[in-house]
Amino acid sequence: MTSAVTGYFATLGSDTPPLAYEDIELSDMIMHFGHNARESHPIIFWRAAEYKRNKDIPTVVVDPRRTGTVMGYEDINAKNSVHIPILNGDISFLNAIAHVLLKEHKDVIDWDFLKKHANNWKEYVDGVLKDYSPEQVQDRMGGKNHEVSPATIRQVAKMFAEATRKRLVRAKGKQKGGYGGVIIMWGIGYNQHIHGQHNVISIINLLTLTGNLAKPGCGPFSMTGQPNAMGERFAGGLTGRLPFNQSLKNTAHRKHMAKHWGVPEKNLINAVNGKNPGYAIGMMERALKGDVKAFFFVYATHIDLPDQYNLVRPAISKTFNVVQEIYRHAPNNLYADVIFPAATWGEVEGVYISSERRINICQKAAEPPKGCRPDMDMVIDKAKGIGKLLGVDVEKALPYKRKKDGFYDAQEIFRDVVRASAGTDTDLTGILEVEKLDKTSPYEQLEELRGIQWPAPTYEIAQNGGTKRRFMLQESGWENKPYGYFRTKNGKVNMKLVHQDYSDREKLTKEMMKFGVEDGLYTIDHLDLIKKVRDKGLTPDMPDEEHLGKKWHGVPKDKYPYWFGLGVVYEHFHTAKSIRSPTTRRLVPEMYVEMHVDDAKDLGIRDGDKVRVITRRGSLEARAQVGTNSLVKPSRNSVPRGYMFGPWNLSVADSADPKKNKWLANGLTSRIWDPVSGQVDFKKSACRIEKI
Ligand SMILES: Nc1nc2c(c(=O)[nH]1)N[C@H]1C(S)=C(S)[C@@H](COP(=O)(O)OP(=O)(O)OC[C@H]3O[C@@H](n4cnc5c(=O)[nH]c(N)nc54)[C@H](O)[C@@H]3O)O[C@H]1N2
Ligand SMILES: Nc1nc2c(c(=O)[nH]1)N[C@H]1C(S)=C(S)[C@@H](COP(=O)(O)OP(=O)(O)OC[C@H]3O[C@@H](n4cnc5c(=O)[nH]c(N)nc54)[C@H](O)[C@@H]3O)O[C@H]1N2
Ligand SMILES: [Mo]
């Protein structure tokens, strides 16, 4: 989700999805970018679909594939459901919509809002007018088989304008500022690009231009993947960040956290001055070079990061690895020097946060197996040990006592988190006010209210379930709010014209394609090159399209004519245990690759054939799923010609030993990452198909 985080920060000055799920039922149009909601967020999809059925709102799905999300909306009303089969051209598409609105639907441009509440809007307006007409962007509309014609761009712009007008009409009535307009949701198919951060900024630009921001029923809505990714963001889980949307580089923020953490500020200053390890990929490269000596793996299959064979496996084979895990079969364990067995969600107490900023309670239902302890307890104890070595007064920093059952009190620690959030962007201290006055504990409040949306800085706000919507003073009753309309330096939204420019594409992509292939080549030594590729909105790989149309054995061994994209499949969840559930085993038992009927014909591949998908970096085995009448399950989405698609969920599932694994998706992917967000591009590999 890191592209969303840095995109929100760059524009709104805060990692905040500004709206709530109930805004769905106030909107006049919903768009999804790189988001197959029907498979990945089915509850949200069916909520939006139900609303479409009741109110007949238009919907747009931007995705190279015709997914179930596309078809589901079409089943409700095909006339106001549009599918845009774009491949990588999203920035150009969004800029082109802005262009059309500025030229042909001038009444929906919110000049007043721009003048009062936005920075750099003139550059944006001038830039999209100059370079992004629907005709000018045709070279970036995905290329062959992903065509998005000027007429289609104008059609979507018209729908966008009509939905925005509905809000403007309501605003003329009693409704202050109006409600409704356009909600843009996006998923990981949108974030997972080197230019993912720019993708996000281009959504917020368009919404700002038209005033579809910081009002009920409109705005940017990032759909988070992992159940508690928002919790991690709240807690400052990205390199260079502190909890509560604070920055390590900001002196006031640093002092605030040093005080609440009970650590000397100089430790944090050391962290600022230290060489940035470069997020996940940078750390792996440094490990390979011998500069990183040890890893501590919790909560993900880290050994399945991109460029497995050339980067990750060789790197973690050199380091000392500690794994904190709940499953004996977890793939990380195979590379562990030490394993700490953890208790899992039903065996611990705690809280987690959903996409609409709602903090929910997780209640303990069973005792952990003997010897397994909550992650929190293990982290506290390790912190005590490490703190001692660093000369920190650990009894003051972590003054927690164990309960009778031997575990720390999760609620006491939650209170401490709430206390430390005082005066920050995510202030939750109203929860403690409620506890003081009404004698209901934080957990009781979360239970009664079915969650509280951060921030909840006062008694009244906490008692009302937190802050539904953010910005433009929608957080009413927050007297000591540390910012004005938006949380930027001057209180205005930062617009930023982001570009997509394919003029040097071949030359630059050629350089990108060397990583993972040439020995001794590290991305951390070529950040300027990567930034250039990002700022031009390019892909890390490019298929050799001149070899399309050939039989599989006729394609030269060093040519990769097809795109290979990866995403989620409904029946699976993530990687580590997908195949261990009897239901998934029965429904989608093996790795498959979605293939267009005509591509299969060209290649000489039949439905159900076993194939090998090969990129410059590695390969995997899969069953060819040809067309939507395929006998290979689940046979659900249709891919455009030239584009192959597989789920990454079975990555490490067929063998507990990743070395023997046939389905390792990230053996194929590129390691190219954005130096600002850390995001790697999982969606755009060039591949060759061979029959096995
Ligand atoms: N059943 C199930 N649900 C899950 C998960 C799971 O494993 N199983 N995992 C959860 C997690 S952690 C996450 S992050 C989410 C992910 O769920 P989604 O956000 O829906 O992500 P993906 O399926 O990876 O990609 C969505 C779509 O992006 C499209 N896409 C690829 N390239 C581009 C492009 O250049 N532009 C555009 N516009 N679209 C593109 C792909 O074709 C794909 O259909 O799902 C969550 N929900
Ligand atoms: N090629 C490609 N790769 C991708 C993606 C893609 O689109 N394409 N998507 C990426 C995305 S969005 C995501 S979110 C990742 C997810 O993919 P993975 O990182 O593979 O995620 P999980 O399988 O959820 O791994 C979680 C691990 O945490 C362990 N665990 C679960 N609960 C607990 C607990 O309470 N305590 C502890 N200590 N451990 C626990 C599980 O046993 C498991 O080993 O994959 C990413 N990889
Ligand atoms: Mo995710």
Side-chain angles (χ1 to χ4, degrees), residues 445-466:
Q445 294 172 46
L446 293 175
E447 192 182 340
E448 275 164 25
L449 293 164
R450 306 196 71 177
I452 293 178
Q453 286 174 280
W454 65 257
T458 68
Y459 173 88
E460 283 78 19
I461 297 175
Q463 215 196 17
N464 276 319

Side-chain angles (χ1 to χ4, degrees), residues 313-371:
R313 296 290 153 86
I316 57 178
S317 301
K318 289 175 97 171
T319 50
F320 176 77
N321 305 320
V322 180
V323 174
Q324 191 164 296
E325 247 296 332
I326 59 167
Y327 279 108
R328 186 167 64 82
H329 307 283
N332 276 352
N333 294 352
L334 286 146
Y335 287 80
D337 295 284
V338 178
I339 299 172
F340 290 105
T344 190
W345 61 271
E347 301 159 350
V348 299
E349 282 195 323
V351 297
Y352 62 95
I353 307 182
S354 69
S355 288
E356 58 165 6
R357 292 172 282 106
R358 186 177 298 276
I359 305 172
N360 295 290
I361 182 165
C362 180
Q363 288 160 326
K364 181 169 169 172
E367 289 302 321
K370 207 162 174 273

